[in-house]
Amino acid sequence: MKLTVRDYSNQKDYKHYDTARLREEYLIENVFGIDEAIFTYSYIDRIIAGGIIPASKKVVLDSAPELRSPTFLARREMGVINIGGKGTIEVDGTTYTLDNWDALYVGRGAKVIVFDSADYKNPAKFYINSAPAHKEYPTKLITKDMADSRHLGSKETCNERTIHRYIVPETCQSCQLDMGLTHLEVGSVWNTMPVHTHARRMEVYLYFDMKDNNCVFHLMGPGDETRHIVMHNDQAVISPSWSIHSGCGTSNYTFIWGMCGENQDFDDMDEIKTSEIR
């Protein structure tokens, strides 16, 4: 496993960041490891984000020195969404099969976790979020059809999209982790507009399903002092609780959102009027 630690950041320092510093603090450029786990460990609510592509062999998830724990999930829970070919995840001897856009919740205390692809010529691509946990909940497979899905927006406002909520209280018990996937229809480019913050939890976005030479301009910062980070395919961005998290693409795209913090209420948002954004 490769694990990179990101320190805290705050609103006062953020005001003085240039483009390079914004990217250094919040952008995760390399998300997926080939035949290994690559993770970024943010001190913001201590979320871990990263991915695994088993391209030629099984990948066993081990711990890291920074966690000071005998196993990766000794004190943590984990959510996984597969955005590649069919794959399997073995959790303490039980094997779960994940098709494209299927998810798996793995509760605290799971010891031996093994990732594999059904076909190495079309490998699985497992995107992972992990958060500290205070209680054990059962491991659960959530297929795309089992997700709580909401179709929102319109072509007129360029934000027609479907939100698939995988790890939310209505679908799967967890300690604090929420996780889901949002897909924008052809002709739609905006996500999360009007914007909002939620001071009770932070969020990480993974942008994917973008063709070559396309990008997303990810908006962040307080509503009255916004910045943007240019995102390319298979890149993730850390969003502190004080920051908006919105994006506009050069074409439609898909993104995975993961949240952890004070509560799990998906609709707990502090909305900001579009006329007040600066």
Side-chain angles (χ1 to χ4, degrees):
M1 177 197 299
K2 292 181 180 178
L3 188 146
T4 302
V5 175
R6 296 283 181 93
D7 209 342
Y8 300 100
S9 61
N10 62 73
Q11 297 182 62
K12 292 182 180 179
D13 290 346
Y14 155 88
K15 295 180 179 182
H16 306 288
Y17 292 170
D18 60 12
T19 298
R21 183 65 187 278
L22 279 174
R23 295 173 68 86
E24 179 185 353
E25 291 287 336
Y26 305 111
L27 177 65
I28 305 175
E29 290 192 80
N30 299 312
V31 174
F32 294 97
I34 305 297
D35 291 333
E36 66 175 342
I38 292 182
F39 288 133
T40 296
Y41 179 16
S42 172
Y43 284 162
I44 302 174
D45 284 324
R46 301 202 172 262
I47 196 168
I48 290 177
I52 300 170
I53 300 175
S56 64
K57 64 178 182 179
K58 296 181 178 181
V59 178
V60 179
L61 183 62
D62 53 8
S63 189
E66 292 83 357
L67 298 180
R68 299 293 194 273
S69 62
T71 59
F72 185 78
L73 295 184
R75 298 185 296 269
R76 289 183 156 269
E77 59 185 355
M78 180 173 72
V80 186
I81 298 179
N82 179 21
I83 60 172
K86 180 181 290 188
T88 61
I89 303 176
E90 181 183 325
V91 182
D92 291 338
T94 300
T95 300
Y96 302 88
T97 299
L98 279 73
D99 287 316
N100 185 257
W101 287 20
D102 286 349
L104 185 71
Y105 170 79
V106 186
R108 187 183 80 165
K111 294 180 174 60
V112 182
I113 305 171
V114 184
F115 296 83
D116 201 5
S117 297
D119 180 0
Y120 291 139
K121 293 181 181 179
N122 181 30
K125 182 184 287 188
F126 297 111
Y127 177 65
I128 298 166
N129 282 175
S130 173
H134 62 274
K135 182 179 180 180
E136 295 82 12
Y137 284 111
T139 295
K140 182 176 181 179
L141 175 68
I142 310 105
T143 65
K144 179 183 176 182
D145 293 338
M146 294 168 60
D148 178 13
S149 298
R150 302 178 178 184
H151 189 76
L152 302 173
S154 68
K155 294 185 184 299
E156 289 75 16
T157 52
C158 301
N159 68 344
E160 186 181 9
R161 66 202 187 278
T162 302
I163 302 174
H164 303 283
R165 307 195 312 156
Y166 291 91
I167 303 174
V168 293
E170 297 88 343
T171 305
C172 176
Q173 285 186 310
S174 66
C175 288
Q176 63 165 316
L177 183 66
D178 282 357
M179 202 170 177
L181 180 153
T182 299
H183 173 69
L184 275 70
E185 300 296 333
V186 173
S188 290
V189 295
W190 278 104
N191 79 74
T192 323
M193 180 63 71
V195 299
H196 64 260
T197 60
H198 28 67
R200 289 142 298 278
R201 59 184 186 267
M202 63 84 69
E203 194 157 4
V204 175
Y205 275 12
L206 170 77
Y207 288 102
F208 69 102
D209 203 16
M210 282 190 277
K211 295 180 175 61
D212 291 343
N213 208 34
N214 283 325
C215 67
V216 172
F217 293 83
H218 178 83
L219 304 178
M220 67 164 299
D224 61 355
E225 192 158 355
T226 63
R227 306 281 192 275
H228 74 265
I229 297 176
V230 177
M231 308 285 302
H232 296 283
N233 196 48
D234 285 351
Q235 292 184 342
V237 62
I238 299 167
S239 177
S241 56
W242 45 264
S243 176
I244 65 170
H245 33 281
S246 179
C248 185
T250 56
S251 181
N252 66 315
Y253 52 91
T254 310
F255 65 98
I256 293 173
W257 44 267
M259 296 181 281
C260 64
E262 184 69 22
N263 67 25
Q264 295 178 286
D265 183 0
F266 180 84
D267 293 316
D268 176 15
M269 305 172 187
D270 299 318
E271 295 185 358
I272 301 172
K273 294 180 180 179
T274 304
S275 60
E276 295 176 354
I277 300 173
R278 299 290 183 268

